[in-house]
Each structure stands twice: as C-alpha cells, then as structure tokens.
Amino acid sequence: MEHRIAEIVGKENLLKDVPMSRYTTFRVGGNASYLVSVENEEILIALLKLLKENNLPYYLLGNGSNLLVSDQGYDGVMIRFVGDFSKIEWAEQTRQSAAWSDSVPDAGAAVMLTHMAQAAAEHGLAGMEFAYGIPGTVGGAIVMNAGAYGGEMCQIVESVRLLDEDLQIVTLKGDEMAFGYRTSILKRKPYVVLSVRIKLHPGDKKEIMAKMNTNMTARKEKQPLEYPSAGSTFKRPEGHFAGKLIQDAGLRGYRVGGAQVSEKHCGFVINTGNAAAADIYHLIRDVQSKVRETSGVTLEPEVIMLGKFN
Ligand SMILES: Cc1cc2nc3c(=O)[nH]c(=O)nc-3n(C[C@H](O)[C@H](O)[C@H](O)COP(=O)(O)OP(=O)(O)OC[C@H]3O[C@@H](n4cnc5c(N)ncnc54)[C@H](O)[C@@H]3O)c2cc1C
C-alpha cells in the first residue's frame, strides 16, 4: 500500500512514523503512521479513492492549532494540504450589491488566515480583520467557523468548494454550510474543504491594517502566546465565559504534569514545555468536573481530540 500511496503523491511527499508534536500547536502527540503532503485536487482525489477502497483510516490536517493528538499517535494517514492548496486566486465577479467588492479571493484550504487577512488588506478589502492572528488554515477555520473580536468565518464566506463523500466536487453557498458557534456542516459530514470564495468590502487600507494590529496587540496582551496551546480550550457556554468559570473554580495555574491552566488567561490550557497529551487530556477532564461542581455549568471542549486517551 505504501508504494501505491507514494506513486500517487510522490515519494518525497510521503513520510512514515511522524511525531504529531511537530504538526500541532500544543507540541504534543505520538506518531502518525504516515504523513502525506498533497499538492493539488487531482492528487487528493486519487489518494482518497485509494484509501477508501482499502479502508485505510485518514485524517485531514490543517495547521493543527485546534488539535490534541494522543501520545499513542494516529494509526492511519495524516493528510496535509500544500502546493495549489496554499494559493489565493483573485477572481472578478459581477457586482451584485454596491456594498461588496468586484474582486473576490478564492483561498485554497491551506492558506493561513493571517496571510489571507494581510492579502485582503493589501487589496484594500475590509471584513477579515478579525481573523488576523488566528493561527489556522482556511480549511480548519471553515470546519470550526473560527471567530474573534466580533467576526466569524460565516460572515465572510460566499461559497465553499468541497469534496463530498463520493469524491465529487460540490459548491455550497455560505448559508448552506450550517454554520453555528464553532461549528459547521463539516462537523457532521466527512467533506473536504478545497477552497473558499471570500466576500469582503472595499475599505481604507490604513484603517484595515490598524484594526488588524489592534487585534494582534490585544492577543499578545491577553493570551499566553509564549506557550504552546490550542487557543481557547473550551467553547463559551451560553451566558458565561469559560475563563471566568475556571478562575472562579480556583483553577488558575492548576497543573497536571506539564499541562497548566494559564495564569494569564484561564481559558487557555498550555504546555509548559514537557507536557504529554495525556496531561492535557486529564487536566481538561479535571477542569470540567471542578467547574461543574462549583458552577453547575458543563464546559465543552473546543479542542478536537484525536486518538486514544484512556
Ligand atoms: C494561540 C491560538 C489562538 C487561537 N485563537 C483563536 C480565535 O481567536 N478564534 C478561533 O476560532 N480559534 C482560535 N484558535 C483555534 C484554531 O486556530 C482555530 O480553530 C482554527 O480554525 C483551526 O484551524 P487549523 O487549520 O489549525 O485546523 P486543525 O486544528 O488542523 O483542524 C481542525 C479541524 O478541521 C479539520 N480540517 C482541517 N483542514 C480541513 C480541510 N481542508 N477539509 C476538511 N476538514 C479540515 C480537521 O480534520 C479538524 O477536524 C486559536 C489557536 C491558538 C493556538
């Protein structure tokens, strides 16, 4: 099977026994049996066809910034998007409404949000400032409906090109994506994001840049960016803030092994340097049960856990 994968993706794009600590922002996680870098849609479709026909498990990897992989690793094929998936193409579009720009970017799944926001700013397009500083890819951000500072992906998605379960390319409009708070249709359906058409509106380049810089400064001030993490560990429970509930439960700085509730921002679980994935997992479970005890609120992890933890 290995050589058939190599034939499809190219030998140089197939790695064996790869530590997931190198590919996730938590910097933890055991080995993936294979890590495959896929350069374009044709290769992706051929690879998925082979994996499906042979019942080989696979996982789609963005920037690994919302992912906790277990210490036992992942027994399957991790798929990374590179090459054409990292491109932004600027398409012309008939103006449908005076509010929206003529020029719309099509961002490949592997484009980093920060890079996309910068490119939009350089084109004098506003609407993506919120995403500047979120360390994920466009693909991962669609799955999660990533958001910050009052903005969310769902506000700027015109349409998404996807591969469906039969490996057919389909295009869904933003309002067909079932976006909700940190969720989308991709949480229910095993689709693959290929690219996203983003809708933005003309704005003043300097003002856009200033807004992005303000957001970045706020991140640096409030978030423990000096430590590996996956951002906010928990979703915001309705009517509460996860960080406040965790702080009120007396868990600021609480540790399990090398994992810690950040002293700077209780909503973040950080890797202080030598954490195992199991430390992070057990800390998350401890936080959930202590917060439940003290406030009655059940915190739901935003972080996706992959592999065996018990
Ligand atoms: C310091 C820090 C700050 C953060 N701040 C924010 C924030 O302000 N707001 C916010 O919402 N999040 C934030 N996050 C979390 C994270 O960056 C986002 O959830 C981001 O959208 C995840 O993107 P990713 O590319 O890293 O996806 P990954 O973590 O690699 O994957 C997430 C999910 O998407 C799936 N996926 C990835 N690519 C594809 C694809 N092409 N097709 C189908 N499925 C795919 C994966 O299988 C997985 O299920 C932060 C994280 C960190 C470390």
Side-chain angles (χ1 to χ4, degrees):
M1 187 53 56
E2 199 177 309
H3 89 268
R4 289 182 67 193
I5 297 177
E7 264 172 21
I8 292 172
V9 300
K11 238 178 27 204
E12 65 288 0
N13 285 327
L14 170 64
L15 300 176
K16 267 173 79 174
D17 297 327
V18 182
M20 289 312 294
S21 52
R22 282 195 211 144
Y23 290 90
T24 56
T25 56
F26 258 136
R27 299 275 171 255
V28 300
N31 289 359
S33 316
Y34 296 100
L35 182 103
V36 167
S37 299
V38 169
E39 289 180 343
N40 61 43
E41 293 180 3
E42 205 185 327
I43 294 175
L44 176 69
I45 292 169
L47 173 69
L48 291 178
K49 192 164 178 286
L50 176 75
L51 299 179
K52 279 170 181 272
E53 277 169 5
N54 290 279
N55 283 321
L56 275 180
Y58 63 87
Y59 195 80
L60 306 168
L61 185 64
N63 194 43
S65 65
N66 203 33
L67 196 59
L68 177 64
V69 182
S70 90
D71 297 312
Q72 281 83 58
Y74 179 69
D75 189 11
V77 181
M78 271 289 162
I79 300 177
R80 263 179 89 215
F81 300 85
V82 298
D84 286 359
F85 292 104
S86 309
K87 291 184 184 156
I88 303 172
E89 285 180 11
W90 294 86
E92 292 302 311
Q93 170 175 267
T94 322
R95 190 183 284 260
Q96 287 164 345
S97 130
W100 298 103
S101 164
D102 292 336
S103 174
V104 285
D106 282 320
V111 172
M112 293 295 288
L113 283 187
T114 291
H115 176 60
M116 185 62 240
Q118 256 163 348
E122 272 152 27
H123 280 75
L125 293 175
M128 240 199 119
E129 297 87 331
F130 76 88
Y132 188 64
I134 300 180
T137 60
V138 163
I142 290 295
V143 176
M144 300 303 300
N145 186 21
Y149 304 111
E152 271 183 321
M153 289 306 289
C154 61
Q155 298 163 357
I156 58 161
V157 170
E158 180 159 309
S159 60
V160 184
R161 280 181 75 245
L162 301 150
L163 215 51
D164 71 10
E165 51 268 76
D166 302 319
L167 304 182
Q168 298 300 308
I169 296 177
V170 291
T171 302
L172 292 188
K173 296 265 169 222
D175 59 12
E176 295 172 312
M177 287 294 295
F179 284 124
Y181 173 63
R182 299 298 170 265
T183 188
S184 71
I185 194 166
L186 282 106
K187 289 277 189 179
R188 284 188 276 118
K189 301 243 183 195
Y191 294 165
V192 185
V193 177
L194 300 172
S195 65
V196 181
R197 178 158 289 191
I198 294 174
K199 55 176 183 185
L200 298 164
H201 53 276
D204 178 75
K205 194 169 158 178
K206 273 196 183 145
E207 275 174 31
I208 300 168
M209 297 269 191
K211 228 180 186 177
M212 293 193 327
N213 288 333
T214 306
N215 290 349
M216 189 58 103
T217 306
R219 277 181 188 276
K220 286 183 183 154
E221 267 172 23
K222 296 194 179 115
Q223 302 180 358
L225 300 185
E226 55 283 17
Y227 290 101
S229 80
S232 298
T233 313
F234 300 97
K235 291 187 181 178
R236 192 179 55 239
E238 237 182 282
H240 300 274
F241 289 103
K244 173 87 169 59
L245 293 173
I246 295 168
Q247 183 182 321
D248 292 349
L251 292 169
R252 180 185 291 276
Y254 175 74
R255 271 177 179 269
V256 175
Q260 188 182 28
V261 171
S262 164
E263 309 231 9
K264 192 167 173 184
H265 186 319
C266 290
F268 278 55
V269 172
I270 57 169
N271 173 0
T272 59
N274 58 354
D279 296 340
I280 296 173
Y281 174 82
H282 290 296
L283 185 140
I284 288 174
R285 293 292 176 243
D286 285 358
V287 168
Q288 283 178 305
S289 69
K290 288 188 184 156
V291 166
R292 204 178 297 119
E293 255 169 56
T294 51
S295 67
V297 177
T298 301
L299 292 178
E300 190 193 330
E302 179 176 320
V303 170
I304 297 166
M305 299 183 203
L306 181 66
K308 293 194 188 91
F309 286 94
N310 285 317

